[in-house]
């Protein structure tokens, strides 16, 4: 079964943005650009619409097929913070199969048993069951001794370690970043340097153990500086961020808006600007949704009692496209952040339009306007801090392995 | 004749003088709205000093005091305020109720609403909890303290005390000393006093000073003695015992050495400076008895008296719309 997409605006993180055609043969991309259209191919005229790699959302907390379909996401890296925790091969294998065929779930196994931060997880066994990386979960590993062993062991297993970098000694009990907003609202807050402190330690340990480390969300200027310098030294480090931390500052939590309660918390405007600069200069490798749908039982509470997290899968692309419209980065680079780079972190041969790679594709109208509405989201819950924001960019079709996902 | 008879609020008719449904904080109030509440409270000071203290204007209305955090003084003050206005006052000690059985705050709010309360007074240990309840009920909500956030009636009674004793709040140098970080009293007072053009200094060890506090238009000090120079009002805050365990301060005696209000220290302030404390006091920790009980300079019992008057004014003003008072409906 062959499909030829014609008259597309092709966006490939490797090749760039070009006008042309793309041929899918079975489950893989067979050719792009100028090729002879096989007579038996089904022809789909895209009439100038964009054809790009489907998104790979690194570090979601929920397998939410509807939200991923709406957001143009074909693969997710699933955080180990599940019930039960992803620290056993049976559980990992079940998670890996939980989204197929529409959504491929790549489990991130618990780096420590039960995510308790003490004993090493069975990394090799879990990798053989389908885990693509190991992760510390929502928390940082407080013990430097444990973290060093964990990184060294993960390196032996050739697994990247996905880290949540916030020094728990500083963030204990905190629900916001220290600053005027937290002060005015009387909210327990932690200084922004809690992140850089954690990043500094983990970078040194990763450098020493030669482990691959991925900071799932980095959000402060001081931490970007550390990562930028480490990359220059050749440390195997990558990092990510969410659209919320790129587009909102801590002012968004004003009036105790629990939908803006995130982990790490929203930062001040200076750090937000630093995050945009870090996207532009390549310090940030990945933009992810941090998808964490939470219902009213977790969010319709006083701010300090509410759970952190946002529902982000279906808004990830539209919010990120703003970076292109603002001319911060070109669209092919955005798809590196949303598809090619997360694929690399997870060791997947995916996320580009290169012939031979899986035909995980989206058809996109990057200019189509719509409005984010918390109440009408298809995700498990509509806890978005972007309620009622007008955005642009609609996914018109999503293909996983050449098959149209309804 | 009171200076505030010439305030803009006095010129505004009815609801325009105070167009708020709830009183969840001082933040969001205009200076003239604060002055309006203080002016309204004056009459109740007089009534409370007379023999017959009852007024029937809230007759038939139900006031629920829902206290999710233990309190004696504030609860009593709100209860007396409601009763003197003729309301049926019901106290709900939520600290020992179904809330402990896992009922969410929203469910509790909906329950109170279904009981047709006409005004709800809430104290809660979480910042923002009162705002949350206010969104879910059909009657006015009065914040009696939420977490570290706000305690608006305390700030109003403090402002009233200062205004009556010093003639005006504007231009007064007010020093607030103690655990600023965890204090809703400090936050509401910073907002109210700066809105009324006082010069506010806040004093605390750095461990108990909130970040970016200068953005609230106050001057931070770690040196109490320096802050006291030229002070018109010295407002001490209660230091909680759990702050020692949290590593914020080493001991009560060390706190007393650096931040206790002693007669010697008070001598740095103006000779007629007023001493205030929201209570309950830790005598010998943040304040010495001779200062707390000073016959002319301590305004601490007067604060308690003003508390009832201010709360009567707030209950009256917030229920005017539902009582159909002319110009307020």
């Amino acid at each position: 079964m062959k499909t030829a997409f014609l008259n597309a605006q092709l966006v490939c993180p490797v090749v760039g943005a070009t006008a042309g055609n793309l041929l899918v043969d079975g489950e893989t991309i067979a050719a792009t650009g100028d090729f002879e259209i096989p007579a038996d191919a089904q022809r789909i005229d895209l009439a100038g619409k964009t054809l790009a790699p489907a998104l790979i959302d690194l570090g979601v907390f929920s397998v939410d097929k509807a939200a991923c379909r709406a957001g143009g996401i074909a693969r997710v890296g699933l955080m180990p913070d599940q019930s039960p925790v992803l620290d056993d091969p049976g559980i990992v294998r079940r998670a890996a199969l939980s989204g197929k065929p529409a959504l491929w779930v790549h489990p991130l196994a618990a780096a420590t048993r039960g995510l308790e931060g003490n004993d090493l997880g069975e990394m090799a066994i879990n990798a053989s069951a389908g885990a693509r990386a190991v992760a510390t979960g929502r928390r940082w590993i407080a013990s430097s001794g444990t973290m060093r062993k964990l990184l060294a062991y993960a390196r032996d297993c050739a697994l990247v370690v996905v880290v949540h970098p916030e020094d728990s000694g500083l963030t204990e009990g905190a629900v916001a970043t220290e600053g005027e907003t937290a002060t005015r609202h009387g909210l327990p807050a932690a200084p922004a340097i809690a992140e850089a402190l954690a990043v500094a330690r983990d970078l040194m340990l990763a450098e020493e153990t030669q482990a691959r480390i991925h900071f799932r969300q980095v959000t402060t200027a001081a931490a970007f500086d550390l990562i930028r310098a480490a990359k220059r030294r050749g440390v195997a480090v990558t990092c990510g961020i969410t659209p919320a931390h790129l587009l909102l500052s801590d002012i968004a939590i004003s009036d105790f808006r629990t939908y803006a309660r995130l982990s790490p918390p929203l930062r001040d405007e200076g750090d937000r600007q630093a995050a945009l600069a870090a996207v532009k200069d390549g310090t940030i490798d990945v933009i992810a949704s941090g998808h964490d749908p939470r219902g009213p039982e977790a969010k319709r509470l006083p701010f300090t009692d509410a759970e952190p997290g946002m529902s982000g899968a279906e808004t990830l692309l539209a919010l990120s496209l703003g970076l292109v419209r603002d001319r911060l980065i070109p669209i092919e680079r955005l798809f590196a952040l949303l598809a090619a780079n997360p694929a690399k972190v997870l060791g997947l041969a995916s996320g580009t339009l290169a012939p031979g790679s899986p035909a995980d594709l989206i058809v996109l109208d990057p200019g189509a306007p719509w409005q984010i509405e918390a109440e009408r989201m298809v995700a498990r819950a509509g806890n978005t801090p972007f309620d009622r924001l007008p955005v642009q960019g609609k996914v018109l079709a999503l293909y996983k392995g050449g098959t149209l996902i309804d | 004749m009171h200076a505030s008879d010439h305030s803009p609020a006095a010129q505004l008719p009815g609801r325009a003088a105070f167009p708020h449904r709830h009183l969840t904080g001082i933040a969001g109030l205009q200076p003239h709205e604060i002055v309006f509440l203080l002016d309204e409270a004056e009459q109740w000071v007089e009534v409370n000093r007379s023999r017959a203290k009852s007024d029937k204007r809230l007759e038939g209305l139900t006031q629920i005091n829902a206290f999710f955090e233990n309190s004696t003084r504030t609860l009593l003050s709100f209860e007396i305020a409601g009763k003197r206005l003729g309301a049926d006052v019901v106290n709900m000690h939520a600290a020992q109720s179904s809330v402990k059985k896992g009922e969410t705050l929203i469910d509790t709010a909906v329950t109170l609403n279904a009981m047709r309360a006409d005004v709800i007074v809430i104290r809660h240990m979480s910042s923002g909890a009162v705002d949350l309840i206010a969104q879910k009920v059909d009657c006015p909500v009065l914040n009696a303290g939420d977490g570290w956030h706000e305690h608006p009636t305390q700030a109003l009674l403090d402002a009233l005390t200062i205004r009556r004793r010093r003639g005006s709040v504007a231009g007064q140098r007010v020093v607030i000393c103690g655990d600023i970080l965890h204090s809703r009293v400090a936050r509401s007072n910073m907002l109210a006093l700066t809105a009324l053009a006082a010069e506010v200094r806040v004093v605390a060890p750095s461990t108990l000073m909130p970040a970016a506090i200068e953005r609230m238009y106050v001057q931070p000090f770690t040196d109490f003695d320096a802050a006291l120079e030229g002070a018109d009002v010295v407002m001490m805050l209660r230091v909680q015992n759990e702050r020692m365990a949290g590593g914020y301060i080493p001991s009560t005696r060390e706190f007393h050495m650096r931040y206790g209000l002693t007669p010697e220290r008070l001598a740095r302030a103006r000779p007629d400076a007023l001493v205030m404390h929201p209570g309950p006091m830790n005598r010998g920790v943040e304040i010495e008895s001779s200062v707390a009980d000073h016959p002319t300079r301590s305004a601490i019992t007067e604060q308690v008296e003003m508390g009832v008057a201010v709360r009567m004014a707030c209950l009256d003003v917030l229920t005017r719309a539902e009582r159909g008072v002319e110009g307020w409906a």
Side-chain angles (χ1 to χ4, degrees), chain A residues 110 172 175 203 209 248 283 299 317 320 324 331 383-384 386:
Chain A
E172 185 73 52
V175 299
L203 276 176
T209 57
L248 302 175
T283 304
K299 283 291 190 184
L317 179 55
S320 302
V324 175
I331 192 164
N383 51 312
T384 174
F386 297 103

Side-chain angles (χ1 to χ4, degrees), chain B residues 11-78:
Chain B
Q11 326 293 321
L12 289 169
R15 195 163 176 76
F18 194 82
H20 304 279
R21 180 166 171 71
H22 309 290
L23 181 65
T24 57
I26 299 295
L29 297 188
Q30 298 292 325
H32 71 262
E33 294 162 0
I34 298 172
V35 170
F36 173 73
L37 291 176
L38 300 185
D39 292 349
E40 286 286 326
E42 293 282 1
Q43 58 180 306
W44 301 115
V45 177
E46 301 313 315
V47 168
N48 288 339
R49 286 176 178 177
S50 66
R51 203 188 142 272
K53 303 177 185 64
S54 64
D55 184 281
K56 297 284 176 225
R57 65 183 67 193
L58 295 200
E59 194 160 46
L61 298 193
T62 302
Q63 171 189 340
I64 300 184
N65 298 327
F67 277 54
F68 296 84
E69 191 183 69
N70 287 325
S71 154
T72 311
R73 297 162 157 256
T74 307
L75 177 59
L76 195 58
S77 184
F78 270 108

Side-chain angles (χ1 to χ4, degrees), chain B residues 224-276:
Chain B
F224 193 16
D225 292 330
L228 280 170
E229 297 296 337
D232 297 287
V233 178
V234 186
M235 192 183 288
M236 301 304 295
L237 302 174
R238 176 181 167 80
V239 56
Q240 310 272 0
N241 281 325
E242 58 256 36
R243 300 307 163 226
M244 266 64 77
Y248 293 97
I249 50 174
S251 66
T252 49
R253 65 180 186 180
E254 177 148 333
F255 186 83
H256 180 72
M257 189 189 95
R258 295 186 67 202
Y259 298 103
L261 189 60
T262 59
E264 301 75 49
R265 227 174 220 136
L266 185 58
R268 294 176 175 272
R270 287 172 56 117
D272 55 346
L274 211 56
V275 174
M276 300 174 71

Side-chain angles (χ1 to χ4, degrees), chain A residues 28-361:
Chain A
T28 53
I29 296 169
T32 56
D34 275 338
F35 55 85
E36 199 171 318
I37 297 163
D40 59 345
Q42 181 200 358
R43 290 160 178 249
I44 298 176
D45 188 346
L46 292 184
K49 295 283 188 292
T50 297
L51 188 65
L55 275 51
I56 300 172
D57 194 358
L58 178 51
V60 299
F61 289 91
S62 166
V63 177
D64 192 338
K65 284 194 254 187
C68 288
R69 160 66 191 83
I73 298 164
R75 298 166 189 257
V76 295
L78 179 65
M79 289 298 283
D81 314 63
Q82 308 295 316
S83 178
V85 170
L86 304 185
D87 67 349
D88 178 272
I91 300 163
V92 168
R93 189 169 289 117
R94 195 180 63 184
L97 298 172
S98 60
K100 284 184 179 177
L103 176 68
W104 282 25
V105 176
H106 302 289
L108 312 181
T112 60
R113 212 177 279 259
L115 289 173
E116 303 269 330
N118 304 314
D119 305 329
L120 288 187
E122 294 174 311
M123 298 185 194
I125 292 179
N126 288 330
S128 71
R132 279 287 174 175
V134 293
T136 66
R138 294 181 190 274
R139 292 190 309 176
W140 190 60
I141 306 282
S143 159
S144 303
T146 302
M147 189 61 184
R148 182 162 178 267
K149 282 175 254 176
L150 188 165
L151 285 163
Y153 193 83
R155 182 192 166 274
D156 292 350
C157 302
L159 287 168
V160 65
V161 180
V162 178
V163 173
H164 178 95
E166 276 193 294
D167 186 311
S168 45
L170 286 171
T171 57
E172 185 73 52
V175 299
T177 306
E178 256 186 26
E180 182 182 355
T181 304
T183 290
R184 282 185 180 274
H185 289 79
L187 293 172
I193 58 156
E195 181 177 281
L197 272 176
V199 166
R201 186 203 72 176
D202 290 347
L203 276 176
M204 294 190 92
L205 292 174
E207 188 165 12
E208 193 224 15
T209 57
Q210 301 199 319
R212 281 174 62 210
I213 190 165
H214 175 74
F215 296 106
R216 193 169 62 86
Q217 298 177 86
V218 180
T219 58
T220 60
F224 292 128
D225 287 345
L226 289 167
I227 291 168
R228 203 173 276 128
K231 283 186 167 182
R232 250 183 254 126
R233 289 198 305 278
V235 180
V237 56
T238 50
C239 70
I241 197 167
T242 70
H245 291 92
L246 288 170
L247 300 174
L248 302 175
S249 70
D250 61 352
I251 291 173
I253 68 170
S254 294
D255 300 328
F256 303 101
R257 290 192 194 102
T258 55
Y259 281 5
R261 174 155 182 219
L262 307 176
S263 172
L266 291 170
R267 307 300 190 181
D268 72 13
E269 180 62 14
D271 280 331
R272 188 183 81 86
Q273 294 294 338
L276 291 171
V279 165
K280 191 178 169 80
D281 74 8
T283 304
I284 291 175
D285 305 277
V286 172
I287 300 178
S289 73
H291 191 62
D292 197 1
R294 301 275 198 171
E297 68 287 350
K299 283 291 190 184
R300 240 170 49 178
L301 294 169
F303 196 87
T304 45
D305 305 332
E307 299 284 346
M310 68 177 162
S311 181
E314 65 198 276
T315 56
L316 173 62
L317 179 55
L319 291 168
S320 302
L321 277 165
L323 303 173
V324 175
R325 269 193 307 279
D326 292 345
R327 295 171 195 246
L328 191 76
I329 48 172
I331 192 164
E332 61 270 23
R333 178 121 156 86
L334 178 65
F335 278 87
L337 289 155
L338 291 171
N341 293 350
K344 271 187 225 159
V345 172
L346 292 173
L348 303 168
S350 180
T352 71
L353 299 184
S357 55
D360 298 351
L361 301 166

